[in-house]
Amino acid sequence: MAVMPLLHFHLVENAWTSAEIQTLLDIAYDTTLTAFGAPQGDRYQIVSKHPANELILGDTGLGFTRSNRRVVLSIRTRPRTAAQKRQFYQLLSDRYAEALKLDRQDLMINLVTNTDEDWSFHAGHAEFLDGEL
C-alpha cells in the first residue's frame, strides 16, 4: 500500500508570503504523488517558522551560500528506492525554481525511513498493524 509521507517544512519567519507557502506545500504534495506514488488526498504537511539565526544550514564544504528563503524539508516515509528519492529531489528542486524562483542552494531535503509500526493516525490505534489500513 502506498502511503503519503509526513512532510515538515522549516522556513525563516517573514521570508515567505502565505501564498508562497501554499505553493510550497502544493508543489511538494504533487511531487510526492509523482515520485512516490502516494494516494490522492493522503496529505500530511507541517510548516514551522524560525528566526533566521535559529535555522542554520551550512554548506557541508560544498562551497555555496543560502539566503533567508532557505527551506529545510524533513520527510518521514516508508522505504523508497534510490531512483524514487533522486526523482523526488530533482523534481521538487526544478518545480520550486520554476514556480517560486527558489535558488536551488536554498533547498535541503532529509528523508527518514520508517515502517508500518511507526504510525498511528488517530486515537492511539496502530492502524497498519491492526489491519485497519
Side-chain angles (χ1 to χ4, degrees):
M1 165 186 270
V3 174
M4 178 70 179
L6 172 63
L7 284 71
H8 190 171
F9 298 80
H10 298 273
L11 310 173
V12 174
E13 63 188 3
N14 301 318
W16 296 88
T17 67
S18 293
E20 289 174 325
I21 291 170
Q22 188 61 56
T23 300
L24 277 171
L25 299 176
D26 291 345
I27 289 172
Y29 173 66
D30 290 340
T31 303
T32 305
L33 296 176
T34 301
F36 295 156
Q40 277 286 347
D42 212 7
R43 188 169 178 168
Y44 306 100
Q45 298 173 313
I46 302 166
V47 174
S48 296
K49 299 176 187 175
H50 309 272
N53 68 329
E54 293 180 9
L55 189 59
I56 309 301
L57 303 178
D59 70 357
T60 313
L62 296 172
F64 58 85
T65 59
R66 301 184 202 259
S67 76
N68 273 346
R69 288 178 54 86
R70 57 192 175 271
V71 176
V72 177
L73 176 54
S74 181
I75 304 172
R76 307 299 190 273
T77 184
R78 284 179 161 180
R80 308 291 176 172
T81 66
Q84 287 176 310
K85 292 174 186 180
R86 286 180 186 271
Q87 180 186 17
F88 182 84
Y89 300 152
Q90 190 62 60
L91 191 55
L92 188 66
S93 178
D94 291 346
R95 289 176 173 178
Y96 281 170
E98 182 179 330
L100 295 164
K101 307 300 180 227
L102 182 69
D103 186 320
R104 293 171 191 274
Q105 312 304 335
D106 281 332
L107 178 61
M108 182 176 143
I109 305 167
N110 173 251
L111 272 88
V112 178
T113 302
N114 54 48
T115 61
D116 291 352
E117 65 193 42
D118 299 313
W119 292 92
S120 172
F121 291 93
H122 79 293
H125 295 205
E127 291 87 359
F128 288 122
L129 297 178
D130 295 340
E132 295 175 63
L133 289 174

